[in-house]
Every structure is written in structure tokens, then in C-alpha cells.
Amino acid sequence: MRLAAGSTRFCAGILSTARHLTIEQKMADYSNKLYHQLEQETGIQTGYVRTGSIFLAQTQDRLISLKRINSRLNVIGIPSEIISPKKVAELHPLLNVHDLVGAMHVPEDAMVSSADVALALATAASQNGVQIYDRTSVLHVIVKKGQVTGVETDKGQIQCQYFVNCAGQWAYELGLSNEEPVSIPLHACEHFYLLTRPLETPLQSNTPTIVDTDGRIYIRNWQGGILSGGFEKNPKPIFTEGKNQLEIQNLQEDWDHFEPLLSSLLRRMPQLETLEIMKLVNCPETFTPDMRCIMGESPSVQGYFVLAGMNSAGLSFGGGAGKYLAEWMMHGYPSENVWELDLKRFGALQSSRTFLRHRVMEVMPLLYDLKVPRWDFQTGRQLRTSPLYDRLDAQGARWMEKHGFERPKYFVPPDKDLLALEQSKTFYKPDWFDIVESEVKCCKEAVCVIDMSSFTKFEITSTGDQALEILQYLFSNDLDVPVGHIVHTGMLNEGGGYENDCSIARLSKRSFFMISPTDQQVHCWAWLKKHMPQDSNLLLEDVTWKYTALNLIGPRAVDVLSELSYAPMTPDHFPSLFCKEMSVGYANGIRVMSMTHTGEPGFMLYIPIEYALHVYNEVMSVGQKYGIRNAGYYALRSLRIEKFFAFWGQDLNTLTTPLECGRESWVKLEKGMDFIGRDALLQQKQNGVYKRFTMFILDDHDTDLDLWPWWGEPIYRNGQYVGKTTSSAYSYTLERHVCLGFVHNFSEDTGEEQVVTTDFINRGEYEIDIAGHRFQAKAKLYPVASLVTHKRRKDDVELSDLHGK
């Protein structure tokens, strides 16, 4: 490996903070500030110039997307504004602006020479005692007992506790080269940009960078001329066959391939027609299956960290990503929630070479496509399916994918136009609105079936009492309950934050069944393995694939099950949060649980996979007379959000504690039993919480005409920014939009966080900012069930802190 080899050498050098994810915005902002001071600290010129960026919008939808980003940038302190086409022409006179509807200007974005930044960082590291071995090949990482102990290089062995794989396009092969392979799903594509000679009047060094996403191109000043590249619709993946031996080499020019981007550039800057092009650069760039970079510790090897797959934003993310990874290695966790970038969001299934090749061909164009809400990838689908997939598909299921698993979003009735529904990418009211309404209504009034087989399912058993003892330490709620009872609990870290949010059923004295979110399969397994004693006779088994899970929601679920099992299923015989193995139809050994993950009445059925089709057919057949129908995850989301149910990965994360989201009653604090995170929670209970999970019901919002809230919208209290929404849905019961999110209390003088009391929440006037437009909202601190009962007087319900009681 050589310093600043690979794509670093060819990087376009644009540092942009305008990103869709808050964590990415923060990483880019940190990088910007770091590179700005590097020259001063190291004496090495990095070519840092603050040029600003202008993001162009040719359509109203693109402008809405920019407005959403703009409002998020402003609240984290990054200056940006929405500007008119006229203003664009003033800032960059060479641009053709006649087809624009607006733009976003981010004045503090910058340009640097990426190779020089790498050199400056390396120099600063050397000055602080870091040894750098340039032109040294890593052969493999030495792992003993699941822990990194050293690295084998072509110049001998180096002993170490930690290893960071930041080998970019070589990261995949390097990960597989250990005895204990580490799966890093990324793939290289060719990336093109052209360089021109200087213009007649050379461009000023501070000429703004232009990002024309609708035209799929970016343009920056380069030595008085132009550097312009883009993300074409038909990318060219490379090195699928295996190891890439190239070190720094410009790949072959391909003018035919670049032609659409060149046409786009000439439309945007007609004066370039006469300009001499020096060369077309073609360099490898790596992309990941979901357009987000990869960082964090390997689930299988302790001390093996990864930082790779930057999706053409390595320069923007480098500084911030390095900071978070350093914190991770030092303290065991970073200072921000980075789950969206965590390596453990992927399983080994996303590492198939064929999958990666096909997926990056879709991902690369998507970088500049419109990021409307609820984006579904088209490639690499039907990878993990329930045994009911074909049955549900034939009944009109529309699918979404989570962790490679197909899950139904909703079911299109036979009389609907299927084609139109697939075009439902919008920031406004989507065309599945009425379909989901009828599914929700059926859950409320009759009975619906949702296939929830994708949930992560573990069984934990022991020969003696070890299972209970160890789980009591790993989980925050008391699991010493009678056999057959179900406990809602969390796996907390030392800071009291949620590593996982789950339900655990006690199957026998020594056996527990744990249900977690779909994308927790790798993360949760790694956490349990890391914290369980190595020598215990404890068996942890991933049984996700062994069970099909059917969620029967609604008041008539009890009738359907009673009829199928010839057993009374009423609350007297089958109380809430209870689990019993029973037969349903001809199939036995089915785990029936009285819970639905929505707050509605009903049951979860965990069915051994070979009985799945039989049980589903029986349920649908018997359910006919009770008005049964299929439902999907969109109905589930609406139900859980109006019931104020938080979901891990959306509302809850590693920096959220049970006390901040009204779940104190789910924690065994009073029992004096030790568990991970207990000390932090006791301290928090004493000091008060600095953020609180709150429900917002939008007041002056027109569902048919106004932009919808989706997630990540800024929340204002009395005109001051206090937090962001974490999830939202339309509540068909309240006939309003409901947003969930955390409210902070920032001191107006110092900006520091203060304690958030019930009184603070209740006495505020709230607004939710949707793409720059603020809508009034009512804040609630308790589940909406009490609102639903009083729907007639929903505007004057007394505010009180009943949440979690």
C-alpha cells in the first residue's frame, strides 16, 4: 500500500456538507474544519479554498429535496440558503440558468487537494509518534481466539491489538484474507471526470462548485479551467473477478461512455464548446449496497475495525469518520449515533460478488437521483423470503426489503392500477394512502394478518441456571418471571443507551426465546457473544430461519384462534404478554404470544417453517367470516406510531436511555440487581434527563395538499430549535399526522443542554419544519390510546404525564 494511492490520488477534491443523513452532515462539517486548519498545523499546503457549493434544482421535487436538506443544515450550524436562479447567475456567470426552479447555496463548502490532505494528516500523525510504513503490503491479519494480535506484511510481522481496514477498493479482499474472514460489502466502479485548459478569462480560485444532480454532473474550478464529472445511469463495475493489482493507474478513457455527462455539462456551461479538453480521467471508486459508508468493529473479530466504502465522498467524510472511529476504539463507542453506517447493519449475505456487482450498478446512479422517502432498491431482491412469499405476492403484496428480507408494505386490491402504484415516489400524499387506510381499519374492527417472519429470533438455553443469571446482567428488565410470560426489555450499554430493544419469552426454567428487530441479526449476536462468558455451558442459537411469524391484529383475532385451536383464547385464559405452545389447525408446536407490537389486541404466531403454509391457509379460511385480510408494514407503522411505540434503529439508538423515552417501568432499577448500564441510569434518574421522547400531532397541516413529514424534520419550541423527528405516520384514527421525536432543552445563553421536565414539554408552543415550512403541533407525553377514546374532544384533552404508566 502507498499513502494517497488509489482513488485518493484521483479524487475530485470537493468538500461538501450537504448530505441527506445528519451523521454524514456532521462528519463532513468536522472534515471541513479539520482540513481548514491542517496547513497551519503541519506547514504542508493542502490547497484548501473556501469556494462554497451551489446545488441546482431543475424540478420542484428536487427543490423540495434541497429545502429538506437546507433546514437540517441550518439547525446544526452549517450556513446554507435556498436561492433563486437569478442569484445563481450572479454567483456563477458562466452558468445557463433558464431551466432552473431554484438552488441551494452552501457558502462554507471547500476544495482541497486530497493527496496533499493525506500527506498533511500523515505528517501530523508522525509528529505525534505514529510510525508509517509506506509501500508495504498487508498479507493478512493474525487472529487468535477471536481477537486481533498482529499483522503479517511483506516486511515481517507487526504486533497490535487493533487493526483498521481502510483499504478502500481493496478492503473486500483484505477482509477475506484472514483465517477468520471479515465480510465488507463494497465494490468498485469506474468513475470519470474531465479536465480542461484554463478559460480565456481563467476562473477565480474561489468560483463556487456546482452540483447539478438532475443533470447528473458536478463542476469545479481547476487551475483556471474546469474539472467536471458525474454519476452516469449505466455505471461500469470493475474487479468483480477478484484482486485488483493496480496501485495508481488511470484506467482507460471511454468517451462514448462519458458522452451523456459531457452533453449535460455543455448544456449547463455553453461557453465550454470551444474549450480544449486536456484529458478524461477514469479512476476506481468504491460503492456499498445502501449508499452509506462502512465503519465500526467486525462482529466476528474483536479489535478488527473497518472504515471504507465511501461512495465517492471519502474526502468529505474522512476527517469526521476518522474521529468517530478513534472514539469507538478508545471508549468502545463513538460520541454520535452511527448505526446507519455500522458494518454490523450488513450480514454475510450482502457479500456475494454477484449481488455487489449488480447492486452497485443501481447505487451509483442513485447518488444523484431524487431521495424521496421510502426508497426501495430494485436489485438483489428476493434474497431472503418467507415460505408465504408466493402466496402473498399472488394476492397483491408490494414488497420492501430490510436486511435482505422481503417484507410486505401493503396489498394492492385487484381493482387498483398496479403500474400507477409503483410510481408512488413523492414528498406529498402517496397513492397507497387509501389502501393502508383500509388495512388499518380492518386491524381496528376485524382481523388482519401481517407476515413478520423477518424479525430476528434467538434461543438462549443452559443446563443449569446460567441462562437466567447471564441474561439478568445483559438485560435491563427482570427476566425472572414465571414460565410462559413475555418481558419487554432492552440490552443497554455502559451509558444506559439501547444496543437492542426486544421481547423475551421464558419458554422453560432454562430456556428463553428472544425477538429483536430485523436489522439486529448481526449486531445483537455480536453483542451477546462479546458479553457472554466464554466457558459457560450456555447455548445461543439463531433460529430466525426456523420460524415463520404471523401477526394477527384486531378484535376478532381471538375468535379465529379459538376456532383453530379448540382452546379458549380470551384474556381470562390467555392473559396479555403470555406465550404458550399449542396446535393451530393440524400443526402443533406453535408458539402463540398475546402481543402484536402495535398496542392493538391480537397474537403473534411463531410457526415452525414447515407448517407455515398450512397455518396461514387455515387462518385465512376460518377468518373469512370475521372479515380477515392481509396487511403490511405501512399499516403496522401507522398503528405503532399513533400508540407512541418507539422502534429501535428509528427512534431508539445507542445514545437513548429507557428514562428518556418513558420506559422506566421496563427497567429493574428498584430491585437492586446489577445489569449493564444500571449505574448510568441511576445517575440519570438523580440528575434528570436531557431529552425526552415526545409525540407531536400536527394541527394546521392539510394531508391532501401539504408536504408530508417523513423523518428528520426539525422541531421548534417557542421558535427555538429543540430536536428532530425520528419517525412519523398518518394516524387514520386521529385523522392527523403524528410525529415522534426527542425534545432537548438548549440554554439560550450558552447553548448547553439542560434538564427536560414534563413542565418544559407541556408549556411549549411547537412547530415541525417540513422543507422550510413550519406547521403547528401539539406535544403529548403519553400514549394516544387515551386520545383515541376521547376522539370527539381530541383538541381539549388535558395534558398530563401519563406516559409509560
Side-chain angles (χ1 to χ4, degrees):
M1 291 294 180
R2 280 182 60 190
L3 270 178
S7 19
T8 309
R9 176 60 50 101
F10 292 107
C11 168
I14 298 168
L15 207 165
S16 164
T17 50
R19 304 283 164 186
H20 284 273
L21 295 181
T22 301
I23 185 67
E24 292 181 344
Q25 290 174 354
K26 287 182 175 175
M27 286 185 344
D29 189 39
Y30 181 86
S31 302
N32 195 345
K33 289 172 174 142
L34 175 71
Y35 304 159
H36 188 217
Q37 65 195 41
L38 262 183
E39 212 163 298
Q40 205 177 341
E41 280 184 31
T42 61
I44 291 174
Q45 291 200 335
T46 57
Y48 183 96
V49 182
R50 188 161 276 175
T51 59
S53 300
I54 303 173
F55 292 80
L56 310 180
Q58 293 180 32
T59 63
Q60 285 301 331
D61 268 356
R62 176 68 66 190
L63 192 58
I64 291 166
S65 178
L66 291 176
K67 284 177 176 176
R68 286 176 64 87
I69 295 172
N70 182 63
S71 59
R72 294 182 200 188
L73 285 174
N74 289 336
V75 296
I76 61 168
I78 299 174
S80 82
E81 62 173 339
I82 299 295
I83 59 174
S84 65
K86 189 176 167 204
K87 178 74 174 167
V88 174
E90 287 170 21
L91 290 166
H92 201 307
L94 296 179
L95 289 189
N96 169 14
V97 297
H98 79 274
D99 58 346
L100 301 183
V101 294
M104 179 173 74
H105 183 216
V106 188
E108 291 184 4
D109 278 359
M111 288 188 328
V112 286
S113 156
S114 49
D116 293 337
V117 165
L119 190 61
L121 288 169
T123 304
S126 299
Q127 289 165 357
N128 285 288
V130 172
Q131 283 181 287
I132 294 175
Y133 297 88
D134 205 7
R135 299 175 188 272
T136 304
S137 292
V138 173
L139 304 177
H140 68 267
V141 179
I142 304 160
V143 178
K144 287 183 184 155
K145 293 183 179 171
Q147 172 84 42
V148 169
T149 59
V151 183
E152 186 77 53
T153 76
D154 59 352
K155 294 179 183 168
Q157 269 192 24
I158 301 171
Q159 288 188 319
C160 60
Q161 271 178 289
Y162 296 104
F163 175 78
V164 184
N165 181 341
C166 42
Q169 61 200 7
W170 298 281
Y172 179 94
E173 278 83 20
L174 183 56
L176 296 182
S177 68
N178 321 324
E179 291 136 48
E180 175 79 55
V182 174
S183 162
I184 304 165
L186 49 79
H187 198 296
C189 285
E190 295 183 14
H191 180 58
F192 299 87
Y193 61 81
L194 58 78
L195 300 169
T196 74
R197 299 233 177 261
L199 279 75
E200 263 182 51
T201 312
L203 286 179
Q204 298 293 309
S205 61
N206 62 351
T207 303
T209 296
I210 301 299
V211 181
D212 182 2
T213 35
D214 295 309
R216 316 198 72 84
I217 54 167
Y218 57 81
I219 310 163
R220 60 156 277 197
N221 161 54
W222 186 73
Q223 299 177 2
I226 289 289
L227 180 159
S228 177
F231 297 97
E232 63 274 25
K233 283 186 171 177
N234 54 336
K236 297 168 70 177
I238 38 176
F239 312 136
T240 305
E241 299 72 31
K243 205 147 192 173
N244 156 28
Q245 301 295 352
L246 299 172
E247 194 178 86
I248 1 177
Q249 186 184 340
N250 194 2
L251 301 170
Q252 278 184 322
E253 288 188 350
D254 186 340
W255 282 103
D256 290 344
H257 189 77
F258 190 73
E259 198 280 326
L261 299 181
L262 180 59
S263 300
S264 195
L265 172 65
L266 293 175
R267 271 197 307 277
R268 190 55 62 213
M269 292 181 76
Q271 281 162 290
L272 297 186
E273 283 279 9
T274 55
L275 208 58
E276 188 186 343
I277 293 171
M278 280 174 58
K279 67 173 169 184
L280 181 64
V281 176
N282 176 6
C283 57
E285 182 61 72
T286 53
F287 299 89
T288 64
D290 63 358
M291 298 188 280
R292 296 171 185 168
C293 72
I294 298 175
M295 62 193 297
E297 191 172 15
S298 150
S300 52
V301 181
Q302 286 194 31
Y304 192 115
F305 284 81
V306 177
L307 188 48
M310 290 291 169
N311 302 287
S312 206
L315 184 73
S316 296
F317 294 158
K323 169 184 185 256
Y324 293 136
L325 199 76
E327 291 172 347
W328 210 326
M329 294 164 74
M330 291 291 293
H331 310 300
Y333 46 88
S335 57
E336 293 280 348
N337 168 40
V338 295
W339 169 247
E340 291 164 305
L341 315 175
D342 193 326
L343 169 65
K344 292 186 279 295
R345 73 187 186 272
F346 295 119
L349 63 103
Q350 279 105 343
S351 278
S352 132
R353 268 301 198 191
T354 314
F355 166 79
L356 288 171
R357 181 182 177 86
H358 291 168
R359 177 57 71 86
V360 295
M361 288 170 75
E362 180 183 12
V363 162
M364 190 172 154
L366 280 179
L367 288 174
Y368 271 12
D369 273 328
L370 200 59
K371 303 293 192 309
V372 293
R374 315 269 174 259
W375 195 276
D376 296 309
F377 290 104
Q378 303 302 309
T379 50
R381 295 295 296 269
Q382 297 178 25
L383 201 51
R384 302 171 77 194
T385 58
S386 138
L388 306 176
Y389 180 85
D390 287 345
R391 288 299 309 273
L392 300 179
D393 198 55
Q395 294 176 76
R398 285 291 167 267
W399 301 93
M400 63 201 278
E401 169 252 332
K402 186 82 174 269
H403 205 64
F405 219 115
E406 296 293 332
R407 318 195 307 177
K409 296 191 279 197
Y410 49 79
F411 287 77
V412 180
D415 55 339
K416 281 272 185 186
D417 179 358
L418 304 190
L419 195 70
L421 268 171
E422 285 309 294
Q423 307 304 318
S424 60
K425 307 238 182 293
T426 176
F427 292 104
Y428 290 91
K429 179 181 177 180
D431 46 17
W432 42 255
F433 183 85
D434 296 340
I435 293 175
V436 175
E437 178 175 28
S438 57
E439 290 179 10
V440 166
K441 195 174 176 201
C442 188
C443 288
K444 298 271 188 191
E445 295 171 5
V447 55
C448 273
V449 183
I450 304 182
D451 182 348
M452 295 178 67
S453 304
S454 67
F455 270 12
T456 297
K457 301 173 275 288
F458 293 163
E459 275 176 20
I460 303 150
T461 46
S462 61
T463 46
D465 295 331
Q466 301 91 332
L468 179 64
E469 287 166 16
I470 290 165
L471 293 185
Q472 286 287 54
Y473 178 64
L474 289 180
F475 290 89
S476 57
N477 207 347
D478 188 4
L479 296 178
D480 194 3
V481 292
V483 170
H485 283 251
I486 302 167
V487 176
H488 289 313
T489 182
M491 227 162 41
L492 308 183
N493 50 38
E494 294 291 346
Y498 280 99
E499 289 294 332
N500 181 18
D501 175 43
C502 56
S503 303
I504 298 183
R506 190 168 194 179
L507 301 178
S508 71
K509 281 280 190 203
R510 294 163 181 172
S511 174
F512 296 84
F513 184 57
M514 173 180 169
I515 303 142
S516 306
T518 303
D519 54 2
Q520 272 281 14
Q521 197 167 7
V522 177
H523 175 241
C524 185
W525 178 269
W527 180 268
L528 286 169
K529 277 291 187 194
K530 189 173 180 176
H531 290 86
M532 283 177 168
Q534 296 298 313
D535 52 355
S536 72
N537 51 1
L538 199 65
L539 179 67
L540 171 65
E541 190 187 357
D542 185 340
V543 294
T544 300
W545 61 275
K546 283 189 178 179
Y547 293 96
T548 296
L550 289 184
N551 194 349
L552 261 61
I553 303 179
R556 308 311 298 261
V558 61
D559 301 311
V560 175
L561 271 189
S562 300
E563 207 168 311
L564 276 174
S565 60
Y566 289 97
M569 302 296 291
T570 57
D572 305 341
H573 300 93
F574 208 114
S576 182
L577 291 180
F578 196 71
C579 170
K580 192 151 63 175
E581 276 210 0
M582 48 200 294
S583 53
V584 176
Y586 300 149
N588 57 12
I590 288 160
R591 290 176 186 164
V592 178
M593 302 188 184
S594 48
M595 59 185 278
T596 61
H597 302 282
T598 62
E600 300 292 333
F603 301 90
M604 285 293 305
L605 274 56
Y606 287 92
I607 308 158
I609 207 156
E610 64 271 31
Y611 298 142
L613 210 50
H614 168 74
V615 172
Y616 174 77
N617 289 341
E618 291 291 297
V619 164
M620 292 308 276
S621 169
V622 166
Q624 289 292 287
K625 58 177 172 286
Y626 300 111
I628 199 164
R629 65 181 287 170
N630 292 301
Y633 271 77
Y634 283 8
L636 190 83
R637 181 193 292 121
S638 175
L639 291 167
R640 74 99 178 161
I641 286 177
E642 71 176 22
K643 283 286 200 301
F644 207 1
F645 274 32
F647 262 32
W648 195 92
Q650 287 178 348
D651 310 302
L652 308 178
N653 59 46
T654 53
L655 299 176
T656 318
T657 74
L659 275 59
E660 292 163 350
C661 56
R663 292 184 168 191
E664 202 171 320
S665 57
W666 293 8
V667 180
K668 55 191 173 201
L669 274 181
E670 307 308 323
K671 299 207 170 184
M673 300 158 78
D674 194 24
F675 58 88
I676 298 176
R678 180 172 185 262
D679 294 346
L681 293 188
L682 285 171
Q683 196 172 351
Q684 192 176 50
K685 193 173 180 187
Q686 198 176 334
N687 300 343
V689 296
Y690 286 80
K691 62 178 181 201
R692 283 196 74 155
F693 195 46
T694 310
M695 172 187 229
F696 297 94
I697 299 167
L698 291 189
D699 261 357
D700 56 344
H701 183 270
D702 187 321
T703 308
D704 292 320
L705 301 176
D706 288 325
L707 288 169
W708 274 31
W710 295 96
W711 68 86
E713 290 84 13
I715 303 165
Y716 288 87
R717 177 188 179 274
N718 299 348
Q720 189 187 1
Y721 171 69
V722 288
K724 284 205 292 293
T725 64
T726 48
S727 54
S728 67
Y730 181 79
S731 163
Y732 295 96
T733 316
L734 292 174
E735 296 170 6
R736 306 276 181 90
H737 253 98
V738 175
C739 300
L740 308 181
F742 285 90
V743 171
H744 300 249
N745 179 3
F746 301 111
S747 159
E748 288 192 35
D749 304 326
T750 62
E752 286 182 13
E753 292 202 47
Q754 299 168 308
V755 171
V756 178
T757 60
T758 308
D759 199 40
F760 177 82
I761 300 282
N762 288 344
R763 287 175 58 180
E765 294 283 327
Y766 292 91
E767 293 168 308
I768 308 289
D769 177 332
I770 305 177
H773 185 99
R774 294 190 193 180
F775 294 91
Q776 289 175 355
K778 278 200 171 67
K780 311 281 178 192
L781 271 172
Y782 57 98
V784 83
S786 36
L787 287 177
V788 176
T789 19
H790 307 299
K791 188 181 162 194
R792 293 284 153 255
R793 49 189 194 90
K794 64 187 175 192
D795 290 328
D796 50 57
V797 175
E798 192 60 38
L799 273 173
S800 58
D801 184 22
L802 298 172
H803 183 38
K805 302 274 194 307

